[in-house]
Amino acid sequence: MTQERNPQPGAPVELGRSVPTQVVVCAVFALVGAGAGWLIKVLADWFVTLEWAPMQGPAKLVANAPDPWITVGLIGGGALLGLIAGIVVQISELSLTVSADGIDLVRGDETQHIDGKDAAAAFLDHGHLVVLDHSSAELAREKTDLDRKALAAAFTAHGYTWSDADPHEDEYRLWFPETPDLPEGANAILRARATLLKQKDSEAELKEMRRELVHLGVVVRDKEKRQYWRPVQPRT
């Protein structure tokens, strides 16, 4: 059972890495890339002195290239690649805006809007921001490193319920093949998710299957490649 929300007026609260922090992160990536570029030249000069070392061809090509141009090129190229990597990391970070009207979650070019009337509670669960509706179904579960206190302040400032932990923690049960009491079709989806959990780069598919389970009345949580589930509660 969730308490009725009392929307609080006020300016929307935007959370995400600040511009100075983003600049620092990109600069760090660029420096690491530049260092890697310089290291390539140092290793190439060393490798050509070792007849048994692998990749003699590329090493000789780099070692025999005119200096300082090759060193400058490697450092500059490494810095550029590092900067690009830093920008990609920034784009993939979660940012959100919390207002009396609702919650907007943005990651890259993906945006999810949750109407304020639908959001019943929010909390952090092992590095994931979770927003529940009034039936305890998950409206969102997004990985984030945003500060817990800042998140709590943003939600409570506009009348949303913030929990220090999952209020349904004790309701989860370990899933195993053909678990009884699950809605029709849920076991099939959970079997497919169990396979995907062992694979890399399957986050998008896992998220989509999570949504399908919510439609069936099941909330799933992953822990150490295992799935734990609970039923959605009837709204009271």
Side-chain angles (χ1 to χ4, degrees):
M1 181 175 180
T2 57
Q3 64 186 48
E4 289 297 320
R5 175 175 168 249
N6 180 25
Q8 300 295 315
V13 179
E14 297 182 2
L15 293 178
R17 284 181 174 171
S18 65
V19 173
T21 300
Q22 294 180 35
V23 171
V24 170
V25 170
C26 288
V28 170
F29 271 82
L31 287 173
V32 171
W38 172 81
L39 186 60
I40 289 175
K41 181 64 170 69
V42 172
L43 290 175
D45 290 340
W46 177 51
F47 268 40
V48 295
T49 66
L50 306 173
E51 296 182 358
W52 53 265
M55 302 180 66
Q56 283 290 318
K60 288 180 180 179
L61 184 64
V62 172
N64 295 331
D67 246 341
W69 306 114
I70 184 62
T71 302
V72 171
L74 288 170
I75 292 176
L80 179 60
L81 290 175
L83 178 61
I84 293 173
I87 293 173
V88 170
V89 168
Q90 299 304 313
I91 293 174
S92 65
E93 291 293 323
L94 178 72
S95 62
L96 72 153
T97 302
V98 183
S99 68
D101 295 328
I103 305 156
D104 292 296
L105 301 101
V106 180
R107 189 188 301 277
D109 58 358
E110 295 184 3
T111 300
Q112 179 184 2
H113 175 75
I114 299 174
D115 194 286
K117 298 188 297 295
D118 297 330
F123 57 92
L124 275 179
D125 179 35
H126 297 88
H128 290 79
L129 172 64
V130 181
V131 182
L132 303 180
D133 71 7
H134 296 278
S135 68
S136 82
E138 289 186 355
L139 296 173
R141 175 179 283 267
E142 295 290 340
K143 188 175 182 179
T144 182
D145 59 0
L146 292 173
D147 181 71
R148 180 186 295 270
K149 291 183 178 179
L151 285 168
F155 278 89
T156 56
H158 290 287
Y160 297 98
T161 299
W162 177 265
S163 299
D164 291 331
D166 188 343
H168 302 279
E169 176 73 30
D170 296 336
E171 299 170 22
Y172 283 94
R173 289 173 275 175
L174 177 64
W175 175 81
F176 55 88
E178 306 309 324
T179 294
D181 304 325
L182 279 169
E184 183 178 356
N187 269 306
I189 296 175
L190 288 164
R191 279 197 303 271
R193 287 189 88 255
T195 300
L196 283 175
L197 281 172
K198 302 173 184 177
Q199 302 175 8
K200 295 181 179 179
D201 303 322
S202 59
E203 187 62 33
E205 292 89 344
L206 290 170
K207 183 182 292 188
E208 182 60 32
M209 290 181 181
R210 184 187 299 277
R211 295 193 189 103
E212 292 297 324
L213 286 167
V214 168
H215 292 324
L216 294 177
V218 175
V219 177
V220 64
R221 183 170 65 179
D222 305 320
K223 183 178 180 181
E224 297 177 352
K225 306 299 182 181
R226 294 184 293 180
Q227 300 179 105
Y228 293 79
W229 69 279
R230 65 171 175 82
V232 170
Q233 300 298 320
R235 184 172 178 177
T236 56

